[in-house]
Amino acid sequence: MREEATAFVPGHITGFFSAHPDDDPTKAGSRGAGLTLTDGVEVTVEPADGAESTIVLDGEEIDIEPVDTVLETLEATARVEAESALPLGSGFGVSGGMALGTALAANHVFERKLSWNELVTIAHGAEVQAGTGLGDVVAQAAGGVPIRLEPGGPQVNKLDAIPARARVEYVSFGELSTADVLSGETDRLSAAGKEALSRVVEEPTLLSLMYASRLFAREAELLTDQVARTIGDVTDAGGQASMAMLGETVFALGTGLSDAGYDPSVCATHPAGAMLK
Amino acid sequence: MREEATAFVPGHITGFFSAHPDDDPTKAGSRGAGLTLTDGVEVTVEPADGAESTIVLDGEEIDIEPVDTVLETLEATARVEAESALPLGSGFGVSGGMALGTALAANHVFERKLSWNELVTIAHGAEVQAGTGLGDVVAQAAGGVPIRLEPGGPQVNKLDAIPARARVEYVSFGELSTADVLSGETDRLSAAGKEALSRVVEEPTLLSLMYASRLFAREAELLTDQVARTIGDVTDAGGQASMAMLGETVFALGTGLSDAGYDPSVCATHPAGAMLK
């Protein structure tokens, strides 16, 4: 057993998605596309002092179900300490990032000798089971600007990507519950998500992703007043913005939000997926 | 049309492989495993001044068939300027890296709007067609320590990876022609490659990869005297080394070659695949 290991997992903003439930959480998931971010989650795992695992995010002990599930699956009793540049529950894939970072780091510390795909499958399944996300983990494992063509973990899914990089700005006005949205009626949302995906597959560029994401947010009726107003402000200033799925969060390419007079957080697309440090 | 674009592609050392020919070069390829490297190829593409494409590697104009094929497929007449930290023809995937870097950068410069998978497929097919490699391009697109479970381009292949990072040392004693080895009898080689793959799939760790690679080099009868002697020296010094497929090159984990008294080049596994800069 090693003393500790640290993994970095990029954040992930989903631009649009369609939900694909399955009784097997490693096969369930979503289709869609989004941006992985240089702002992300750093997760350090070490063997626990006592008989119980503890999870700490930015200095505070919390309970994150997918992380518990990952630790149980790896038969690891650990102290998980995460630092995140991103707010939880606001559409940045923080819970997925913690699950995936925990899987990578715990595999190393406890010498479980699992493969990359096995670890991503465990984290993805844990996230789906908890209802906190459907596609963040596989996107965060891939990095870049991933397109999720087929849902599920890496044993069954199919990924492509937009071959581009960009500066990304974002502002977050508050939380939206992914679990609440996903437990409601998702037919309309998934129809809009499939249409958006066709558009991006036909033209895999960042501009087309932003356009498809805005259309999706409108058709799936997810826009809050604040988010709609902010996207409008960026458009008026000549920029490209949309809503992060799912959070009360607006993201923009380049200097979109700054140009519109906001004071955004600034990062960029992350060219790599999750990694041990 | 943009003025220019630059892509970085990590080097790739193949530890072992089995050859899988197919009439369709995007389906042909290899199974196997290897290490992508922080030492790699940086490729800058700009529109050509005249009516013909030119390719420059480390300041010298050369002809690299897969790069020509990529440019023709993208209908791009370009000046391709590459800088490589790695020697050509010595088992580091330089030709594959130049093909993939050219695809990524030319797509950007000439605004061809192709997806990541499409660009990797084009570079992979060009490399296979030229006989200069079978699995480097897809490994270099993925990054990390890729395991190629099923051959071919990204539309048909299946990848996994060893979730680990390491310092890597290497010494190169000269060239071996990939095309010569691949055009000979490959039955024995491919049988050894499949056995090595089973071993690494069963235990996806760096140590198991090194062990499988040494066994493969011996069983496929690829070892030169110089390479065998150097691997022996590293083993005697308590380290882990093997032969890069295909080059007269020895690579080692950590400080394996230094500890054995060699003066190696030093790099590390690259946590990300090819990327636009």
Side-chain angles (χ1 to χ4, degrees), chain B residues 39-96:
Chain B
D39 279 1
V41 189
E42 194 164 289
V43 184
T44 300
V45 171
E46 60 183 349
D49 279 340
E52 294 215 352
S53 292
T54 51
I55 306 168
V56 176
L57 174 61
D58 293 330
E60 274 183 50
E61 200 170 320
I62 54 163
D63 200 44
I64 299 192
E65 190 187 326
V67 175
D68 285 332
T69 309
V70 165
L71 290 174
E72 280 160 25
T73 310
L74 292 177
E75 297 179 355
T77 308
R79 178 177 169 83
V80 175
E81 200 155 339
E83 309 241 326
S84 172
L86 299 161
L88 191 65
S90 305
F92 293 102
V94 173
S95 61

Side-chain angles (χ1 to χ4, degrees), chain B residues 3 7-8 16 96 115 137 147 153-154 157 164 174 179 182 214 217 219 235 260 268:
Chain B
E3 286 193 355
F8 172 78
F16 59 83
S115 79
V137 170
I147 305 173
N157 70 10
L182 295 181
R214 281 195 300 270
E219 289 190 359
T235 306

Side-chain angles (χ1 to χ4, degrees), chain A residues 68-240:
Chain A
D68 285 331
T69 309
V70 166
L71 290 173
E72 280 160 25
T73 309
L74 294 177
E75 296 179 356
T77 308
R79 177 176 169 85
V80 175
E81 200 155 338
E83 307 241 326
S84 172
L86 300 161
L88 190 66
S90 306
F92 293 102
V94 172
S95 61
M98 286 188 65
L100 181 54
T102 300
L104 284 167
N107 179 64
H108 198 67
V109 169
F110 295 91
E111 295 174 355
R112 292 294 180 253
K113 299 183 178 176
L114 297 179
S115 78
W116 177 264
N117 284 355
E118 288 167 336
L119 295 170
V120 177
T121 299
I122 289 167
H124 170 77
E127 169 94 327
V128 167
Q129 216 167 4
T132 47
L134 288 173
D136 285 328
V137 170
V138 297
Q140 289 167 310
V145 186
I147 305 173
R148 288 169 285 116
L149 297 170
E150 296 292 344
Q155 315 286 358
V156 295
N157 72 10
K158 200 163 180 290
L159 301 179
D160 198 347
I162 295 173
R165 292 176 76 161
R167 174 187 153 112
V168 177
E169 295 186 344
Y170 59 89
V171 285
S172 204
F173 303 107
E175 300 189 12
L176 281 184
S177 164
T178 300
D180 283 359
V181 172
L182 294 181
S183 63
E185 178 54 69
T186 57
D187 286 0
R188 191 189 173 94
L189 178 154
S190 284
K194 282 176 197 162
E195 205 191 308
L197 184 59
S198 308
R199 188 175 292 273
V200 168
V201 166
E202 203 175 303
E203 186 177 310
T205 63
L206 289 175
L207 276 186
S208 134
L209 168 60
M210 298 304 285
Y211 183 86
S213 174
R214 282 195 299 270
L215 205 63
F216 170 81
R218 218 157 42 225
E219 289 190 359
E221 295 176 347
L222 293 165
L223 291 168
T224 63
D225 288 347
Q226 174 70 66
V227 164
R229 202 159 50 236
T230 306
I231 294 174
D233 290 343
V234 174
T235 306
D236 290 347
Q240 292 288 336

Side-chain angles (χ1 to χ4, degrees), chain B:
Chain B
M1 200 150 66
R2 292 164 210 260
E3 286 193 355
E4 63 167 51
T6 300
F8 172 78
V9 185
H12 179 242
I13 290 178
T14 299
F16 59 83
F17 69 102
S18 57
H20 299 270
D22 192 294
D23 288 342
D24 179 346
T26 67
K27 290 184 180 153
S30 59
R31 294 191 175 93
L35 308 171
T36 65
L37 304 178
T38 50
D39 279 1
V41 189
E42 194 164 289
V43 184
T44 300
V45 171
E46 60 183 349
D49 279 340
E52 294 215 352
S53 292
T54 51
I55 306 168
V56 176
L57 174 61
D58 293 330
E60 274 183 50
E61 200 170 320
I62 54 163
D63 200 44
I64 299 192
E65 190 187 326
V67 175
D68 285 332
T69 309
V70 165
L71 290 174
E72 280 160 25
T73 310
L74 292 177
E75 297 179 355
T77 308
R79 178 177 169 83
V80 175
E81 200 155 339
E83 309 241 326
S84 172
L86 299 161
L88 191 65
S90 305
F92 293 102
V94 173
S95 61
M98 286 189 64
L100 181 54
T102 301
L104 284 169
N107 178 65
H108 199 66
V109 170
F110 295 92
E111 295 175 353
R112 292 294 180 251
K113 299 183 178 176
L114 296 179
S115 79
W116 177 265
N117 284 355
E118 288 166 336
L119 295 169
V120 177
T121 300
I122 288 167
H124 170 77
E127 169 95 327
V128 168
Q129 216 168 3
T132 46
L134 288 173
D136 285 328
V137 170
V138 298
Q140 290 167 308
V145 187
I147 305 173
R148 289 168 285 113
L149 297 170
E150 296 293 343
Q155 313 287 356
V156 296
N157 70 10
K158 202 163 177 295
L159 302 179
D160 199 346
I162 294 174
R165 294 176 74 161
R167 173 186 154 113
V168 178
E169 295 187 344
Y170 60 88
V171 285
S172 202
F173 304 107
E175 300 189 11
L176 281 183
S177 165
T178 300
D180 283 357
V181 172
L182 295 181
S183 64
E185 179 53 68
T186 57
D187 285 1
R188 192 186 170 93
L189 178 153
S190 284
K194 281 175 197 164
E195 205 190 309
L197 184 58
S198 306
R199 190 175 289 274
V200 168
V201 165
E202 203 175 303
E203 187 176 312
T205 64
L206 289 174
L207 276 185
S208 135
L209 168 61
M210 299 304 285
Y211 183 86
S213 175
R214 281 195 300 270
L215 204 64
F216 170 81
R218 220 159 39 227
E219 289 190 359
E221 296 176 348
L222 292 165
L223 291 168
T224 63
D225 288 347
Q226 174 68 68
V227 164
R229 203 159 48 237
T230 307
I231 293 174
D233 290 341
V234 174
T235 306
D236 290 346
Q240 292 288 336
S242 188
M243 174 182 174
M245 309 298 160
L246 286 162
E248 205 173 351
T249 296
V250 175
F251 68 103
L253 299 181
T255 53
L257 281 158
S258 310
D259 291 348
Y262 289 82
D263 182 24
S265 299
V266 178
C267 61
T269 55
H270 193 255
M275 58 182 79
L276 284 169
K277 296 203 83 171

